[in-house]
Amino acid sequence: MVDNDVGMTEAQKDKAKLQTALDTAQQAKAELEAQLTEAQKDKAKLQAQLTEAQKDKAKLQDTLEAQLTETEKDKAKLQDTLEAQLTEAQKDKAKLQTALDTAQQAKAELEAQLTEAQKEKAKLQAQMTQAQKDKAKLQEELREKLQDTEKERQEKLQEKFHELNDLLN
């Protein structure tokens, strides 16, 4: 009777250790999933910023084209003021080019950030996959320990085995 009580205590200790390891793996998985969600939100924000930068670029290009067209019309209509208008159009063009360059630089930075977020997402997915593998390994180790314990104490631990199996499932 004493040997069986010691065996039950060892099985309970093993169960507690394995449950703790399983809980740790599940917590790590939850943390990785939260990090993945955060990375996906960041990616969405970066994509929105990139779209906005592309819209700004298109607006600047349209504005530049409109101003150049207006300059050509003014040239035909007002030959005597051509030099003044051309100089003004060139100033505007330089400003717009600077703005366009800035928008393109912002776009490049956003694309770099997006690439970094995608790399981070891939890392998080790899970590989550590893956590799932670790969880599966722990579950397999737990099953093996339970089978060994059950063979030695099958009749007296049958009820405990069902309770532990229910906890794992």
Side-chain angles (χ1 to χ4, degrees):
M1 187 67 176
V2 172
D3 286 342
N4 289 333
D5 289 343
V6 169
M8 288 175 57
T9 300
E10 283 301 314
Q12 289 170 339
K13 286 179 183 178
D14 288 346
K15 174 186 169 185
K17 286 178 185 177
L18 291 172
Q19 186 62 47
T20 299
L22 179 59
D23 291 347
T24 300
Q26 289 171 335
Q27 182 181 0
K29 178 184 175 189
E31 290 171 3
L32 290 173
E33 288 172 340
Q35 291 174 1
L36 176 59
T37 299
E38 202 58 40
Q40 289 170 335
K41 288 179 183 177
D42 291 345
K43 178 183 173 185
K45 288 178 186 175
L46 290 173
Q47 189 62 46
Q49 291 173 352
L50 176 60
T51 300
E52 197 60 37
Q54 289 170 334
K55 287 179 183 178
D56 290 345
K57 178 182 174 184
K59 287 179 185 177
L60 290 173
Q61 287 174 333
D62 289 346
T63 301
L64 178 59
E65 289 172 10
Q67 288 181 350
L68 290 175
T69 300
E70 194 63 34
T71 300
E72 291 298 318
K73 289 179 183 178
D74 289 345
K75 177 182 174 184
K77 292 179 182 177
L78 306 166
Q79 193 66 30
D80 60 339
T81 59
L82 176 63
E83 288 297 324
Q85 289 179 354
L86 182 57
T87 301
E88 198 61 31
Q90 289 171 338
K91 289 179 184 178
D92 290 343
K93 180 180 177 181
K95 289 177 186 176
L96 289 171
Q97 188 61 49
T98 299
L100 179 59
D101 292 346
T102 302
Q104 288 172 334
Q105 182 179 358
K107 177 184 174 187
E109 290 171 2
L110 289 173
E111 287 173 341
Q113 291 173 0
L114 178 60
T115 299
E116 199 58 41
Q118 289 168 336
K119 287 178 184 177
E120 187 61 29
K121 177 184 173 183
K123 286 179 187 176
L124 291 173
Q125 287 174 331
Q127 291 173 351
M128 185 166 41
T129 300
Q130 186 59 46
Q132 289 169 340
K133 288 178 182 177
D134 291 346
K135 177 183 174 183
K137 183 179 177 182
L138 286 172
Q139 287 175 330
E140 182 59 29
E141 289 173 5
L142 182 58
R143 277 191 282 279
E144 289 174 10
K145 277 198 175 254
L146 287 173
Q147 287 173 359
D148 291 344
T149 302
E150 193 267 338
K151 286 178 185 177
E152 296 172 11
R153 300 170 192 86
Q154 185 173 1
E155 290 182 10
K156 294 198 176 197
L157 295 178
Q158 187 68 34
E159 184 176 310
K160 294 292 182 182
F161 174 77
H162 288 300
E163 292 174 6
L164 181 58
N165 197 21
D166 288 345
L167 286 175
L168 290 175
N169 293 325

